[in-house]
Amino acid sequence: AQKVTQAQTEISVVEKEDVTLDCVYETRDTTYYLFWYKQPPSGELVFLIRRNSFDEQNEISGRYSWNFQKSTSSFNFTITASQVVDSAVYFCALSEASRRGGGNKLTFGTGTQLKVEL
Amino acid sequence: DAGVIQSPRHEVTEMGQEVTLRCKPISGHDYLFWYRQTMMRGLELLIYFNNNVPIDDSGMPEDRFSAKMPNASFSTLKIQPSEPRDSAVYFCASSFYGHTGELFFGEGSRLTVL
């Protein structure tokens, strides 16, 4: 069974600090997809990134970067020079490869609440 | 382009009443998902549809919950009768690629059952 663990329940940082959100996953499939979603205080869930299991290249998008390491089953998310607007709950999620009918469940971690203060 | 539209945004009802939540997915998306979010259980998939057909409803808590998708542009999640433990935020999401692609979420319907 697939599982996603976000051990950090809450992180508080001061603006401009770098922060890394950890995500560890478990799956028996060799083909799977990893995601990060952001849930700001307004409540909606916003997609940030999708990575498939065959692409271990790290990715950078502005102040955001993701480190995917299959050897440690981790898909960590780093925010550089954090800003108050980054305050949100961040969810890591895992989906195993599509099967007939559109695939398996997207399993979410329990989320990490990030608070960025001035 | 309009995103996923859910209504109502907030619903307060009394135990025993029927509750109907509505969702309009993004046009062209073949998959529609209903999730529930609570502090205790996090984000749980209740049911999902592909081309208007329910594919997996194993997450539906019990017979009091039912979901329909009569056409590609509309889905409902009904709770009858409602109970206080059903209080949660219910999200609808749609996708073009199912669970392996990006899910587009609505703003959620916050349900409070007194």
Side-chain angles (χ1 to χ4, degrees):
Chain A
Q2 56 191 51
K3 183 180 177 182
V4 176
T5 301
Q6 294 181 258
Q8 303 152 308
T9 305
E10 185 173 318
I11 301 175
S12 290
V13 298
V14 176
E15 204 175 37
K16 298 183 184 176
E17 285 186 9
D18 299 347
V19 58
T20 295
L21 311 181
D22 298 333
C23 173
V24 174
Y25 62 92
E26 295 177 27
T27 177
R28 293 179 180 176
D29 271 20
T30 55
T31 302
Y32 52 89
Y33 300 83
L34 295 163
F35 303 81
W36 277 93
Y37 283 84
K38 174 181 180 179
Q39 188 174 37
S42 51
E44 76 278 17
L45 283 142
V46 178
F47 167 84
L48 295 177
I49 190 171
R50 168 185 179 266
R51 175 67 79 223
N52 74 56
S53 53
F54 298 107
D55 181 3
E56 283 194 75
Q57 270 197 328
N58 292 329
E59 180 155 341
I60 299 174
S61 176
R63 296 184 297 107
Y64 294 173
S65 62
W66 290 269
N67 184 307
F68 176 28
Q69 293 197 343
K70 289 177 75 170
S71 60
T72 56
S73 297
S74 65
F75 186 43
N76 297 337
F77 172 30
T78 297
I79 302 174
T80 303
S82 60
Q83 299 176 2
V84 172
V85 293
D86 296 326
S87 297
V89 180
Y90 291 86
F91 292 93
C92 181
L94 164 70
S95 177
E96 292 168 344
S98 281
R99 297 191 181 133
R100 182 178 58 85
N104 298 305
K105 288 183 180 182
L106 180 64
T107 298
F108 284 88
T110 51
T112 298
Q113 168 86 59
L114 174 64
K115 295 183 178 179
V116 182
E117 300 166 335
L118 292 171
Chain B
D1 287 341
V4 175
I5 300 172
Q6 290 187 247
S7 65
R9 291 292 314 280
H10 302 274
E11 175 91 5
V12 180
T13 190
E14 293 190 348
M15 184 173 63
Q17 297 298 305
E18 178 178 297
V19 174
T20 299
L21 308 178
R22 298 172 178 81
C23 175
K24 177 179 169 55
I26 292 172
S27 177
H29 283 185
D30 296 331
Y31 293 86
L32 184 139
F33 308 84
W34 282 100
Y35 281 86
R36 178 171 68 174
Q37 185 177 33
T38 61
M39 289 294 293
M40 292 297 295
R41 301 175 68 90
L43 276 158
E44 305 173 273
L45 176 66
L46 299 177
I47 184 171
Y48 82 92
F49 297 82
N50 179 209
N51 292 323
N52 313 338
V53 176
I55 302 300
D56 184 351
D57 65 354
S58 60
M60 296 285 262
E62 48 199 273
D63 291 345
R64 297 184 297 106
F65 285 69
S66 63
K68 294 182 180 179
M69 192 165 185
N71 56 63
S73 59
F74 184 65
S75 177
T76 59
L77 178 67
K78 186 175 293 187
I79 308 171
Q80 166 63 19
S82 58
E83 296 182 2
R85 61 191 167 124
D86 302 329
S87 297
V89 180
Y90 291 81
F91 286 100
C92 177
S94 70
S95 169
F96 188 73
Y97 293 108
H99 277 128
T100 58
E102 174 184 355
L103 265 61
F104 293 80
F105 284 84
E107 294 181 306
S109 294
R110 181 175 293 278
L111 173 65
T112 302
V113 183
L114 303 174

